[in-house]
Amino acid sequence: MNGFLTLTVNGLSTGAVYAALGLSIVIIYRATRVINFAQPALALISAYLAYSVNKATGSYWLGFAVALLAGAVLGALTERALIRPVRDRTPLSAVIVTLGLLMVLQAVAGMFWTNEPRSFPYAFDFRGQFSAFSLFTVLVVLGTAAGIGALFRYTSLGLRLRAAAFRPEVASMLGVRVGLMLTLGWALAAAVGALAGVLATPPFLFPTVLDGVFVYALTAAVIGGLDNPLGTVTGGFAVGIGLSYVSGYLGPELVTMAALVILVLVLAFRPNGLFGHAVARRV
């Protein structure tokens, strides 16, 4: 019983990270219908900047703030400089751009910070069955998800963001600056991704540390439906707990395979996700 409880609470804390990174994927997909495969690399650079600030100043929270700001800036620059020029080309163009950016940023991280693992601190004590850091991770992700949900549902900015994503021509005629809204959407998503990166990287930081996390986050996003933030958060916690059980009872070497099996099954039987809805398109 104690082992089951330990696996469950461990799954909650890791699931919160998957939920946060999955949420960043969903925000960009809602805005541009693009799966941003560069999201782990944007989060990686943000985490490395947090590491550098922490090492220089000794302040974890200053590094935390720098990571979120850096993520937002990197997301905005990515949309303006790389995604917007190919937005009106084939649907795969933007996906290929994000894949290229993933490889470039990981290489840049290796050039500047080397490939050696760097010690990255926890915000709070990480020891115990459900540590202070685990509680912090779960609460900050739930708070972020609630804030984003409130932004899109109850604010005029959220309304403009949704209009720019789903009806850009109509939104433009109504005075919405569609380009600015898309840039803000990418900035918001990358900031949430940077949050996930800072929470996921302790205790060691290296250029490929978030690759596996991205696979699990993408699985969570697909389970929730790529346009459903609440479903993605639920999927993130479900994936975290489920993979924790797989690791504890079947062995950690099967975790990645289990995530891929879940991803394939959902795509095969529920392509719109467990919480998504099929959308009819006029042809």
Side-chain angles (χ1 to χ4, degrees):
M1 185 63 182
N2 286 337
F4 177 81
L5 182 60
T6 299
L7 292 174
T8 302
V9 296
N10 288 341
L12 282 173
S13 59
T14 56
V17 174
Y18 306 154
L21 193 58
L23 194 59
S24 69
I25 297 170
V26 167
I27 293 171
I28 289 178
Y29 184 79
R30 282 168 61 93
T32 60
R33 288 300 187 255
V34 172
I35 301 294
N36 181 20
F37 287 97
Q39 190 62 71
L42 298 176
L44 176 73
I45 297 298
S46 300
Y48 266 117
L49 292 174
Y51 160 80
S52 298
V53 170
N54 178 267
K55 186 177 180 181
T57 65
S59 172
Y60 175 89
W61 297 109
L62 180 59
F64 187 89
V66 167
L68 299 186
L69 178 61
V73 171
L74 288 171
L77 289 175
T78 299
E79 193 279 328
R80 293 300 295 265
L82 299 177
I83 301 301
R84 188 170 299 189
V86 302
R87 188 173 63 190
D88 296 326
R89 299 182 185 178
T90 65
L92 282 178
S93 298
V95 173
I96 293 171
V97 168
T98 63
L99 285 169
L101 183 60
L102 168 66
M103 293 183 285
V104 168
L105 290 181
Q106 286 183 335
V108 168
M111 290 170 57
F112 278 91
W113 289 282
T114 77
N115 292 320
E116 294 296 322
R118 305 279 180 164
S119 178
F120 195 82
Y122 291 89
F124 299 101
D125 186 9
F126 61 92
R127 293 164 297 182
Q129 192 173 71
F130 194 66
S131 66
F133 180 74
S134 297
L135 179 61
F136 169 73
T137 300
V138 171
L139 291 179
V140 76
V141 170
L142 289 177
T144 300
I148 290 173
L151 170 69
F152 279 104
R153 189 175 181 87
Y154 300 113
T155 69
S156 60
L157 175 60
L159 178 62
R160 292 196 297 271
L161 286 168
R162 286 187 290 149
F166 293 105
R167 294 291 184 271
E169 298 85 0
V170 176
S172 180
M173 289 189 293
L174 293 175
V176 176
R177 299 176 62 182
V178 173
L180 177 60
M181 292 300 104
L182 295 179
T183 302
L184 287 176
W186 274 74
L188 175 63
V192 175
L195 171 66
V198 173
L199 295 176
T201 47
F204 296 111
L205 178 62
F206 50 92
T208 57
V209 66
L210 294 176
D211 287 357
V213 177
F214 179 72
V215 173
Y216 308 143
L218 183 59
T219 303
V222 171
I223 289 174
L226 280 169
D227 58 354
N228 190 325
L230 179 59
T232 297
V233 173
T234 304
F237 282 106
V239 168
I241 294 172
L243 295 184
S244 180
Y245 293 155
V246 170
S247 177
Y249 294 121
L250 300 179
E253 66 276 3
L254 295 178
V255 168
T256 302
M257 180 181 294
L260 292 175
V261 168
I262 294 171
L263 184 60
V264 170
L265 290 176
V266 172
L267 288 174
F269 296 102
R270 292 280 301 198
N272 296 297
L274 300 182
F275 302 94
H277 301 284
V279 178
R281 293 187 179 182
R282 180 177 297 175
V283 295

